[in-house]
Amino acid sequence: MLQSSLNELDAVLMVARRGKFRTAALELGVSTTALSNAVRKLERTLGIRLFNRTTRSVSLTEAGQQFVAQVAPAVRDIHEAMDVARSRQATPSGTLRINAFPTAAREIFSWLVLPFLRAHPQVHIDIVTEGRLVDIVAGGFDLGVRSADLVPADMIALPLGVLRRNVVVGTPSYLKAHGTPLTPRDLTEHTCLRVRLPNGAIHRWPFEKDGQSVHIDVEGAITLDEASLARTAVLASVGLALAMESDVRDEIEAGRLVRVLEDWTPILSPLSLYYPSRRNPTAAFKAFVDFARRQSGASITLTPSIGSEAPVTDIRPL
């Protein structure tokens, strides 16, 4: 009897789940070409076409729908059996997949991810950054990292305890030439680096002081959605930028950037590492959670409900 590899089955199930080869490939950490080849190989093995493909969409054929419905539970059982086996490893190894907002990934990378990899060199970490709140179970992720107030109620959460805040920054030369804003409303007289959110909307800069909240539609010559470009632009004195303090701390300490409107930028909700309840966590999974707990000095708690299942996008700045 012809046998198909687990990778080929995983490829078909991910494409069926996501409806796009590109998205499925990103989640599996492979190229679109490799994913397409895996699906075609399985189709040749089975002698049937599993997907209807057009330039704009991918959908399961009738035979594909039946195949996916029958094989998905078996593949899930296989992965669970593999997790049970890995949980008995003496040395953590294998891959951990983590989904996070881009800002969250940057905040934990240096003090959590890199030290963990140095301590556990046989573990591979696959980080996927997305500006939208995703179902980490459906997406095939082991862990997620989000603001504590955005963690779904049915997840186990480990507060990371890192203080976070937005900062408005500019170079000394820009502020000398254009003046220093004293209130958020003063930003209307300044050139600002605008940020495009994952849903396409332009981010309104949020401020708060003494219980008063205000959101400003800033104006400027550049609109960006990539942090390194924003950092380059603000350092070039193009204008003022709203950033996570952790992203520009080195520049502030070196005097290359200056904070303004400090009394209008309060502390934000802390980050949480979160995951679903697991009966047989792998050795790598247990090691990472234990390491995160030690690094953050926090203990696991259940998070309150976010109160809505409406789509959520990352509204933090670059």
Side-chain angles (χ1 to χ4, degrees):
M1 183 175 64
L2 294 174
Q3 300 295 317
S4 299
S5 74
L6 184 59
N7 287 340
E8 292 167 14
L9 295 172
D10 284 337
V12 167
L13 294 178
M14 185 60 74
V15 173
R17 183 181 300 128
R18 292 302 174 206
K20 293 183 179 180
F21 274 81
R22 178 177 174 80
T23 304
L26 288 173
E27 294 209 15
L28 289 175
V30 300
S31 68
T32 304
T33 299
L35 182 71
S36 181
N37 288 339
V39 172
R40 286 195 174 94
K41 182 179 179 182
L42 183 57
E43 288 180 324
R44 288 195 299 270
T45 298
L46 297 174
I48 61 172
R49 186 160 48 89
L50 297 172
F51 294 99
N52 295 310
R53 301 170 176 85
T54 69
T55 56
R56 295 188 176 184
S57 65
V58 177
S59 62
L60 286 166
T61 63
E62 184 177 350
Q65 291 176 0
Q66 183 176 359
F67 177 78
V68 166
Q70 290 181 315
V71 81
V75 172
R76 184 168 55 249
D77 289 343
I78 291 172
H79 280 295
E80 288 182 359
M82 293 172 69
D83 287 344
V84 171
R86 293 192 187 103
S87 70
R88 298 173 181 173
Q89 292 174 332
T91 302
S93 64
T95 297
L96 290 176
R97 301 190 71 232
I98 301 174
N99 186 283
F101 285 156
T103 52
R106 293 196 297 271
E107 287 181 61
I108 68 168
F109 197 69
S110 296
W111 68 268
L112 178 57
V113 175
L114 295 182
F116 175 80
L117 289 174
R118 286 192 288 267
H120 302 280
Q122 295 186 42
V123 177
H124 175 84
I125 292 184
D126 180 1
I127 299 178
V128 176
T129 58
E130 297 185 76
R132 61 189 180 92
L133 187 62
V134 303
D135 183 338
I136 62 172
V137 175
F141 295 97
D142 299 290
L143 303 138
V145 182
R146 293 289 187 271
S147 300
D149 56 335
L150 295 180
V151 176
D154 59 347
M155 293 286 156
I156 298 172
L158 171 60
L160 298 179
V162 180
L163 292 179
R164 312 166 65 235
R165 65 180 297 188
N166 296 332
V167 290
V168 179
V169 291
T171 60
S173 61
Y174 173 88
L175 295 173
K176 181 178 180 180
H178 301 278
T180 299
L182 301 179
T183 72
R185 299 294 181 189
D186 294 341
L187 292 174
T188 58
E189 305 299 322
H190 286 264
T191 297
C192 299
L193 298 175
R194 306 200 315 160
V195 175
R196 182 183 298 106
L197 297 174
N199 63 5
I202 301 302
H203 181 46
R204 303 176 69 209
W205 290 15
F207 297 96
E208 182 180 334
K209 180 180 179 181
D210 299 330
Q212 177 186 0
S213 297
V214 60
H215 289 73
I216 303 297
D217 290 313
V218 297
E219 295 294 335
I222 302 178
T223 300
L224 301 165
D225 62 1
E226 210 289 316
S228 62
L229 294 177
R231 189 179 296 106
T232 298
V234 71
L235 287 169
S237 299
V238 171
L240 299 176
L242 180 69
M244 290 299 301
E245 185 176 34
S246 57
D247 281 345
V248 292
R249 183 175 290 117
D250 290 344
E251 285 80 5
I252 293 173
E253 292 177 354
R256 293 188 292 270
L257 292 176
V258 177
R259 278 181 290 204
V260 299
L261 300 175
E262 289 188 67
D263 55 341
W264 281 92
T265 53
I267 300 298
L268 301 173
S269 176
L271 293 178
S272 283
L273 181 73
Y274 68 97
Y275 52 91
S277 177
R278 305 180 66 153
R279 289 178 297 175
N280 298 292
T282 65
F285 180 91
K286 290 188 291 186
F288 188 82
V289 172
D290 289 343
F291 189 86
R293 186 185 299 113
R294 292 194 301 271
Q295 290 291 92
S296 65
S299 59
I300 293 177
T301 60
L302 292 177
T303 63
S305 172
I306 60 175
S308 173
E309 296 183 358
V312 180
T313 56
D314 183 4
I315 60 171
R316 307 303 181 199
L318 295 175

